[in-house]
Amino acid sequence: MFHPIHKLAIVLAGALMIGSVAIADPIATPDSTTALLQKAVNGDWRSAAHKARDQYRHPVETLQFFGIKPDMTVIELQPGAGWYTEILAPVLSEHGHLLEASGPKFADTIKANPAVFGHIGKLIPFAPPAQVQLGADNSVDMVLTFRNTHDWLNNSPDTLAAVFQSAFHVLKPGGVFAIEEHRAKPFSVAAESSKALHRIPEDYLIALALKTGFRLDGVSEINANPKDPEDINVHRLPPDLAGPDSEHDSMKAIGESDRMTLRFVKP
């Protein structure tokens, strides 16, 4: 759900694959990058269930907004089952480097599908708050996180802040910290909404990033959903539909959660 406060936050911030799936292009023009992204999204290695979520997650438009290029060195934080990884890995396979910051179980995902994930350059041990270091200072072009920030906040505000600091240190000057997250109502109490609903207010994440040292470089409504009242636990919505059967139809009518899409840059 889009709120006028999102525009206000921007103003305030400014004031303050192996084989067949290797699909990279040596010329990183906007048109060629878009073509690479679309080819990856259309790839036959993606399941029907994953493709069904494209209407809500807008992967091509989201990665375009973040500024992905096929020659970048990119870290994806806690990739889960690899929904975005199976798009990123082929795009970065020839001229870039994809690094996955995750627990050891993601190594099993890589081994299970080497044709898609075999080009991943490195698995970085990452388990906040115990392990948050991402690599050498000023060494990567982009750090991506999709719907993870509420988990780190649920551990503690300090844990979330430590992840932001780690992203800041590993990025080169001019590097991008890219965030997609379930959106809570503006100026909600972040820790409360995160624990109860798995949502964070957009203003909270913007303020934390600015405090860390980032510059707000863009806010997009690509992944907004005006049907979402923002007071529902996101796991009750598709695709989980974790609530009672009697509410599934109404949750499907809403669709997936309303999400913020934020691009920050390290000065």
Side-chain angles (χ1 to χ4, degrees):
M1 180 180 294
F2 183 75
H3 298 280
I5 191 63
H6 299 152
K7 292 182 179 179
L8 175 61
I10 299 170
V11 173
L12 291 174
L16 301 167
M17 322 336 292
I18 296 171
S20 63
V21 300
I23 57 172
D25 188 314
I27 303 173
T29 65
D31 287 346
S32 67
T33 300
T34 299
L36 289 172
L37 290 169
Q38 192 61 61
K39 189 172 183 179
V41 167
N42 294 340
D44 59 9
W45 56 90
R46 300 187 68 222
S47 68
H50 280 197
K51 288 183 177 182
R53 301 188 68 190
D54 292 349
Q55 63 178 312
Y56 301 113
R57 302 200 69 180
H58 311 100
V60 172
E61 297 86 350
T62 297
L63 291 171
Q64 284 177 318
F65 170 72
F66 288 152
I68 195 82
K69 295 179 182 177
D71 59 352
M72 282 181 163
T73 297
V74 177
I75 298 177
E76 183 186 13
L77 304 183
Q78 291 189 319
W83 195 96
Y84 259 103
T85 316
E86 67 186 15
I87 298 169
L88 292 165
V91 169
L92 296 167
S93 62
E94 289 288 336
H95 303 284
H97 301 280
L98 177 61
L99 313 175
E100 294 294 327
S102 185
K105 286 186 177 180
F106 196 70
D108 297 333
T109 302
I110 297 172
K111 291 176 184 177
N113 199 345
V116 176
F117 299 131
H119 291 286
I120 292 172
K122 183 180 179 183
L123 186 62
I124 302 168
F126 186 72
Q131 293 176 311
V132 296
Q133 297 304 311
L134 294 170
D137 288 359
N138 308 313
S139 60
V140 306
D141 301 298
M142 181 177 288
V143 176
L144 297 157
T145 174
F146 300 98
R147 300 175 306 142
N148 291 317
T149 54
H150 65 276
D151 292 321
W152 303 322
L153 180 57
N154 285 346
N155 184 279
S156 76
D158 287 344
T159 296
L160 179 59
V163 173
F164 275 47
Q165 285 284 354
S166 187
F168 186 86
H169 288 305
V170 78
L171 282 165
K172 300 173 183 176
V176 173
F177 186 32
I179 298 174
E180 179 203 312
E181 181 55 273
H182 306 292
R183 189 153 51 196
K185 290 182 180 295
F187 300 116
S188 302
V189 178
E192 293 179 4
S193 62
S194 184
K195 285 186 180 296
L197 306 175
H198 303 279
R199 300 173 182 267
I200 299 179
E202 189 169 311
D203 51 272
Y204 182 90
L205 285 185
I206 290 174
L208 177 59
L210 295 176
K211 182 179 179 181
T212 304
F214 288 105
R215 173 175 59 83
L216 180 62
D217 193 55
V219 176
S220 174
E221 292 299 301
I222 294 168
N223 296 302
N225 179 2
K227 295 180 180 179
D228 178 10
E230 299 178 338
D231 58 3
I232 299 171
N233 185 302
V234 298
H235 293 295
R236 290 169 56 194
L237 295 168
D240 293 348
L241 297 173
D245 291 348
S246 60
E247 74 173 21
H248 286 184
D249 286 346
S250 61
M251 295 296 105
K252 289 178 182 178
I254 293 172
E256 293 197 18
S257 66
D258 179 52
R259 292 163 189 163
M260 68 186 87
T261 308
L262 308 173
R263 183 179 67 240
F264 297 98
V265 169
K266 178 178 176 177

